[in-house]
Amino acid sequence: STETSSFVFAPPQTPSVEIKGSEQRFPVHRIYCVGRNYADHVREMGGDPNMSQPVFFTKPADAVVPSQSKIPYPLATSHLHYEVELVVAIGKKGVKIPMEDANRHIFGYAVGIDLTRRDLQSISKEKGLPWDTAKALDHGAPISAITPIRNKGSDGDDESSSSLFSLDVTSKISLTVNDETTPKQEGSLNQMIWTVEEVISHLSHMFTLQPGDLIFTGTPKGVGPIVAGDNIKGMIDGLETVEMTLTAEEEE
């Protein structure tokens, strides 16, 4: 067993995310992401939302970075883009989850930024290749503290829990660069092609969802490049803000 195993080097720490109002942290199992989930963003990327169904891709768990972080400009790109997203934190295991049961599997919500090497993504699209090099980059998933949606009951059971937060699908989602008064990205959560419940249900028919999974649910229109020195803020009404500063490329 791993408890008695001897490793050739120290295993990495479990990636985790801050939880609003708690000293406990949310351990990250996997990061799933939804692409092409806002019609206007599909159009700005040259696609047709009627022909382009949302797609799934992943990022490594250790891509999570807390808000207020300084992030080095990634390797192998000269065209780094921001994408602000609603993030769903899963708190209950599930497979083939019906849409009407999806909310029972949600632990809480956060705001995330899907950092993307757009030049590498363009090459991948042209050649029909996976998006891993474009999306699964180091420090590629800055995220705010998670806002839990319920208090566990005294026995730890969901059925005896009380509500803490309810997501308003009309909430505004936006992103600013360098405190500009006009957001670079601005939209509403009700513009998503697949709802949160539909995303959870679709995903759980391909993977067994586990406590600790994070789901980045897609980005509205207005994506664009950032450079070293830029300060980026992602916001959704009612949730904690995610903020990051891009620094020069890391030296070897």
Side-chain angles (χ1 to χ4, degrees):
S1 71
T2 55
E3 287 80 6
T4 58
S5 295
S6 176
F7 296 101
V8 294
F9 49 81
Q13 289 187 333
T14 300
S16 64
V17 179
E18 179 185 355
I19 299 171
K20 180 183 178 182
S22 175
E23 293 184 2
Q24 293 183 309
R25 295 184 65 83
F26 183 90
V28 180
H29 175 247
R30 289 182 181 174
I31 301 175
Y32 298 101
C33 305
V34 187
R36 303 172 182 162
N37 201 25
Y38 285 75
D40 285 345
H41 174 59
V42 174
R43 293 187 188 98
E44 76 175 346
M45 299 305 293
D48 180 351
N50 296 317
M51 301 293 291
S52 304
Q53 283 292 313
V55 297
F56 292 112
F57 58 91
T58 62
K59 288 175 176 274
D62 64 2
V64 291
V65 181
S67 186
Q68 306 292 329
S69 290
K70 293 182 178 179
I71 297 175
Y73 197 91
L75 301 170
T77 184
S78 58
H79 206 52
L80 182 70
H81 272 210
Y82 53 77
E83 297 186 2
V84 65
E85 313 206 1
L86 171 70
V87 182
V88 181
I90 298 296
K92 180 180 179 182
K93 181 179 178 179
V95 63
K96 296 183 179 179
I97 301 167
M99 278 188 287
E100 58 269 23
D101 292 339
N103 280 317
R104 297 175 57 197
H105 296 264
I106 299 173
F107 174 84
Y109 298 100
V111 184
I113 300 174
D114 170 14
L115 292 177
T116 302
R117 291 188 276 217
R118 191 71 72 203
D119 41 4
L120 299 189
Q121 186 185 33
S122 296
I123 294 170
S124 295
K125 285 181 175 180
E126 288 171 9
K127 297 184 177 181
L129 298 174
W131 292 2
D132 297 60
T133 56
K135 295 289 192 176
L137 57 154
D138 298 337
H139 320 296
I143 188 170
S144 73
I146 295 169
T147 298
I149 65 170
R150 62 177 67 88
N151 268 320
K152 294 287 185 183
S154 57
D155 58 359
D157 182 48
D158 282 343
E159 300 302 321
S160 56
S161 64
S162 58
S163 178
L164 278 177
F165 175 81
S166 180
L167 185 70
D168 182 355
V169 295
T170 65
S171 293
K172 185 175 80 170
I173 177 172
S174 61
L175 179 142
T176 60
V177 178
N178 299 328
D179 294 323
E180 293 176 349
T181 54
T182 302
K184 296 290 190 185
Q185 288 187 272
E186 191 168 24
S188 173
L189 297 181
N190 61 13
Q191 294 170 339
M192 287 196 289
I193 296 171
W194 282 353
T195 66
V196 167
E197 293 79 13
E198 288 172 322
V199 167
I200 290 172
S201 181
H202 278 289
L203 195 56
S204 73
H205 279 75
M206 291 188 284
F207 305 94
T208 300
L209 295 183
Q210 300 283 359
D213 286 341
L214 296 174
I215 307 173
F216 281 60
T217 59
T219 195
K221 68 177 180 179
V223 300
I226 45 178
V227 297
D230 282 345
N231 178 266
I232 299 94
K233 288 182 184 177
M235 295 155 282
I236 296 175
D237 293 341
L239 297 178
E240 297 295 291
T241 296
V242 60
E243 183 174 358
M244 57 161 279
T245 300
L246 198 61
T247 64
E249 185 176 301
E250 228 168 14
E251 299 294 331
E252 291 186 12

